[in-house]
Amino acid sequence: MTDDLDHLKSLMDAATPAPDSARRANNLDRARKSFARAQGSRVGARPTVKRGPVARLTEGAIFMLNSLTSRGVLTATTALGAIALVLIVPQMQTGPLRVTDQIESRVVEPAPIPQPLPQAEEKFADAIAAAPQALSKRAEGANSEPTVRLGWDNVAEVARIAPAAPDVVVASTPNTEAFANADSNPLKVTAEDPVSTFSIDVDTASYAIVRSSLLNGQMPPKDAVRVEEMVNYFPYAYPAPDGEAPFRPTITVSPTPWNAGTQLVHIGIQGALPQIAERPPLNLVFLIDSSGSMQDANKLPLLKQSFRLLLSELGPEDQVSIVTYAGNTGQVLEPTRATERSKILAALDKLEAGGGTAGQAGLQQAYQVAGEIASDGEVTRVVLATDGDFNVGLSDPEALKDFIARKRDSGTYLSVLGFGRGNLDDATMQALAQNGNGQAAYIDTLGEARKVLVDQLTGALFPIANDVKIQVEFNPAQIAEYRLIGYETRALRRQDFDNDAIDAGDIGAGHSVTAIYEVTPVGSDAIRNGPLRYGASQVVADTDEEIGYFKLRYKQPGSDRSQLIENPIRFDQGVLTDDVAFSHAIAGYAQALRGGEYLGNWSYPQAIDMATAARGDDPFGYRAEAIMLMRLAQSLAD
């Protein structure tokens, strides 16, 4: 026996109370006497009936069950168990314990080990002695309570005598969520900075994250709210393209709901939807995070259900492969035709969560598999499903950008699906999707999985235009100030617009993209910036009442050269449809979630009224759900 075991044995011996032979004999004698009284004959031999063993066994079982159905007796047996626990558990302690609290890094000392409790032992002996008598009276059909009532009074008395259990400090899982966002775009003076340039964004992760927070009874973190992703979550029926261009811009100028002295310039871009039957074959590599952090029900189990929905949308020419990563990586399914559904589902069902998160190794192997199955004329894409907790290998967003950008040039794109909350690394997911020419979405429900992977599958996986950039130049003779609502993480330099080497966002088949500017006309009472004493004089050109000029650059998939679309912007341009008005309501709602710096007194009630009036056709209930979430936000913010 080792020294440690010897020490442990000595502690156990020291904690064990010395036997008391006199008390033990007294308790046993009292129990025997009580047992004898309960047998039905205190003098002489107990009467018996000569019956077969099976009959006697059956009768005994029936007697036992009948005896135990009394509320009083059930209370007695429950009390006996509670008393036994009170007496036995403290005696099993082997010495003082030191418990380290992982959150506050402090030590909690439990109470000293109690010595034997004579009063509790005596009550326990009384309870043992009284139990047979209670059973006997129940068997005789007596309606009166037992002479010795064993109930909560006894238990309460024992609990009063017994020492209190020590407090136990339970460590909770820390929240390590990180979101990719920036401060709201500032109000700009047109005469000083008339040009705004940004990359389009079709991601929808922010809306689902906000919904997840609100449905859990808490306001979302402000950094989790990206206005453009909130607005672009909804389908809009903008006019479809009718020429060679893959999409068509529609511009609407109307009064601002939250500021009577300004106007909203609404830009809606609708992508073309090619015939589904004519789409090219699809090669999908599911890169699945199976690390220990994915074990929650809204992570790996929901991921499996989500991919089941996706499989139902694939055609006979499509292929699926599965790569997993945790502490290590591995290919659990070789490239398999989508028609072999049972084989793919079997591979998914075998996945279990455990280990670290080797994101770098997983990405490298997924791209290797994708390269092996890629073919001309086909679409190859890696679909990463993770909670974003990259804790092994390459985890810096900037380093991930470079890695994904190099792989993107080979023609293999990357889409990212986020699952779960608590350690969601939104910054990493955004870096991956933006540089992989893919979409970032967050899946918190099976309904969201259907929206992303079924209803919008074509747009998510089949691009119709790459590196889409927007540039708007405002006329200082007409517009004094302007600000872009959202797109803080998509800002580009002015010179980046004409540089085809600069990466930007991509539009998938059938996607719509919305951007909104708030502009302040010259002479408006809403102008916030006063004139400069030494400011440059304004040069007013013959612009035919133009308030700005819209330009859009895009590349056809596989092309290195961009094409240009241009349109002037004028006051009262376009029609304020339900789609436009609803997007305005969502933009105001999202700004309120971020603090509402430019909203004045306009907040959730006005957003609710406006969205309700402009809900229009809502076949999937997305807009009704948004109004419900607005109401939740209003309640939580009060």
Side-chain angles (χ1 to χ4, degrees):
M1 185 177 295
T2 64
D3 293 339
D4 290 340
L5 291 177
D6 290 334
H7 180 63
L8 178 61
K9 182 177 182 300
S10 63
L11 291 176
M12 294 179 66
D13 292 339
T16 303
D20 189 334
S21 58
R23 182 179 297 137
R24 177 175 179 276
N26 181 51
N27 290 339
L28 289 176
D29 182 66
R30 293 171 61 188
R32 280 195 296 267
K33 291 179 180 179
S34 178
F35 184 80
R37 289 194 301 269
Q39 302 309 304
S41 176
R42 299 188 181 186
V43 180
R46 182 179 63 184
T48 61
V49 178
K50 292 184 179 181
R51 301 179 64 186
V54 175
R56 292 197 301 271
L57 179 61
T58 303
E59 183 179 1
I62 294 173
F63 172 77
M64 179 186 70
L65 292 175
N66 290 335
S67 300
L68 292 180
T69 55
S70 167
R71 183 176 63 180
V73 176
L74 286 175
T75 303
T77 55
T78 303
L80 285 175
I83 295 169
L85 287 174
V86 170
L87 294 175
I88 296 172
V89 171
Q91 309 306 325
M92 296 175 63
Q93 302 287 346
T94 59
L97 301 176
R98 296 177 66 86
V99 181
T100 303
D101 188 309
Q102 299 178 5
I103 299 177
E104 303 178 11
S105 298
R106 61 187 177 88
V107 175
V108 180
E109 295 284 357
I113 296 176
Q115 297 301 315
L117 305 174
Q119 297 179 52
E121 287 185 345
E122 291 177 5
K123 289 184 175 295
F124 184 69
D126 289 338
I128 292 293
Q133 185 176 2
L135 292 174
S136 176
K137 287 197 173 186
R138 172 67 178 85
E140 294 171 0
N143 295 323
S144 60
E145 295 292 339
T147 303
V148 180
R149 181 179 179 85
L150 184 60
W152 292 112
D153 293 339
N154 308 71
V155 176
E157 179 64 17
V158 175
R160 184 187 65 79
I161 300 172
D167 293 336
V168 177
V169 180
V170 180
S172 62
T173 303
N175 189 320
T176 60
E177 292 185 335
F179 298 99
N181 214 333
D183 294 336
S184 298
N185 287 322
L187 189 67
K188 294 186 177 182
V189 177
T190 309
E192 299 171 3
D193 189 2
V195 180
S196 169
T197 309
F198 64 96
S199 165
I200 62 94
D201 184 12
V202 294
D203 293 344
T204 60
S206 179
Y207 180 89
I209 292 172
V210 167
R211 176 180 59 201
S212 172
S213 294
L214 292 174
L215 291 179
N216 282 323
Q218 52 188 321
M219 295 295 284
K222 291 183 179 180
D223 283 344
V225 183
R226 289 185 288 271
V227 179
E228 71 278 8
E229 294 187 19
M230 299 283 288
V231 173
N232 285 319
Y233 179 83
F234 304 90
Y236 301 105
Y238 301 141
D242 54 5
E244 295 294 330
F247 38 75
R248 172 182 174 181
T250 301
I251 300 175
T252 304
V253 181
S254 59
T256 303
W258 50 81
N259 193 338
T262 67
Q263 300 275 309
L264 291 183
V265 177
H266 179 282
I267 302 170
I269 301 173
Q270 180 62 51
L273 181 61
Q275 295 296 323
I276 301 299
E278 298 176 1
R279 72 167 177 82
L282 179 63
N283 300 316
L284 286 180
V285 179
F286 293 160
L287 176 56
I288 298 176
D289 182 352
S290 59
S291 62
S293 63
M294 290 287 290
Q295 63 184 346
D296 296 341
N298 61 348
K299 294 185 180 182
L300 187 57
L302 178 58
L303 182 156
K304 293 179 181 180
Q305 293 176 314
S306 301
F307 280 173
R308 282 176 174 267
L309 298 179
L310 172 59
L311 287 178
S312 64
E313 299 301 304
L314 301 182
E317 300 301 319
D318 299 330
Q319 291 189 92
V320 172
S321 180
I322 300 178
V323 175
T324 63
Y325 66 93
N328 298 309
T329 63
Q331 183 177 2
V332 299
L333 179 70
E334 69 279 4
T336 304
R337 293 290 180 186
T339 51
E340 298 185 58
R341 181 181 175 87
S342 59
K343 181 178 179 180
I344 299 173
L345 292 178
L348 279 173
D349 290 340
K350 291 180 181 178
L351 299 182
E352 295 182 354
T357 315
Q360 176 186 8
L363 285 168
Q364 289 173 337
Q365 183 162 1
Y367 274 108
Q368 179 181 348
V369 173
E372 294 172 354
I373 61 178
S375 180
D376 291 341
E378 299 181 350
V379 175
T380 303
R381 186 176 293 265
V382 174
V383 180
L384 169 61
T386 178
D387 61 359
D389 185 16
F390 285 67
N391 54 35
V392 179
L394 191 60
S395 58
D396 177 62
E398 292 301 321
L400 284 170
K401 286 182 181 180
D402 296 337
F403 176 78
I404 299 300
R406 293 194 301 269
K407 298 299 181 181
R408 176 192 66 214
D409 295 337
S410 68
T412 298
Y413 295 164
L414 172 69
S415 294
V416 183
L417 305 177
F419 290 83
R421 296 294 300 273
N423 57 351
L424 184 69
D425 191 343
D426 177 71
T428 299
M429 293 173 55
Q430 290 292 317
L432 290 172
Q434 290 181 15
N435 289 273
N437 280 8
Q439 180 182 1
Y442 172 74
I443 294 179
D444 57 334
T445 65
L446 200 58
E448 183 68 12
R450 178 174 178 81
K451 177 179 183 292
V452 174
L453 300 177
V454 177
D455 298 338
Q456 300 176 351
L457 175 66
T458 304
L461 300 180
F462 297 95
I464 58 175
N466 296 335
D467 295 340
V468 183
K469 309 169 190 175
I470 291 176
Q471 186 173 82
V472 177
E473 179 184 356
F474 289 102
N475 180 2
Q478 299 288 343
I479 302 299
E481 299 167 338
Y482 72 91
R483 68 183 181 96
L484 175 62
I485 302 176
Y487 290 95
E488 286 84 3
T489 63
R490 298 281 188 159
L492 297 175
R493 298 174 300 176
R494 178 177 175 178
Q495 61 268 31
D496 291 340
F497 183 74
D498 294 318
N499 186 352
D500 286 345
I502 300 298
D503 180 60
D506 304 282
I507 292 182
H511 263 155
S512 63
V513 180
T514 302
I516 303 173
Y517 285 93
E518 182 177 0
V519 300
T520 308
V522 171
S524 170
D525 293 337
I527 295 176
R528 298 195 178 197
N529 294 284
L532 296 175
R533 181 179 179 87
Y534 304 105
S537 60
Q538 295 180 357
V539 178
V540 181
D542 182 11
T543 58
D544 191 27
E545 301 300 322
E546 288 181 4
I547 66 172
Y549 199 72
F550 166 82
K551 294 190 292 187
L552 182 148
R553 281 199 176 273
Y554 70 95
K555 296 176 184 175
Q556 295 281 1
S559 175
D560 294 330
R561 298 189 61 181
S562 65
Q563 301 183 47
L564 181 64
I565 295 177
E566 302 175 276
N567 285 108
I569 306 173
R570 298 181 176 88
F571 283 122
D572 299 325
Q573 182 173 343
V575 178
L576 184 62
T577 63
D578 283 344
D579 281 340
V580 174
F582 187 84
S583 69
H584 289 172
I586 296 297
Y589 160 56
Q591 290 177 85
L593 291 173
R594 285 178 61 85
E597 178 182 358
Y598 296 99
L599 296 181
N601 295 325
W602 197 93
S603 189
Y604 301 114
Q606 292 78 19
I608 293 169
D609 292 341
M610 187 174 184
T612 302
R615 187 172 69 179
D617 189 23
D618 186 24
F620 299 109
Y622 299 145
R623 298 187 180 188
E625 179 193 61
I627 296 170
M628 179 271 293
L629 294 176
M630 290 180 186
R631 296 184 185 278
L632 276 178
Q634 179 185 7
S635 300
L636 294 172
D638 290 342

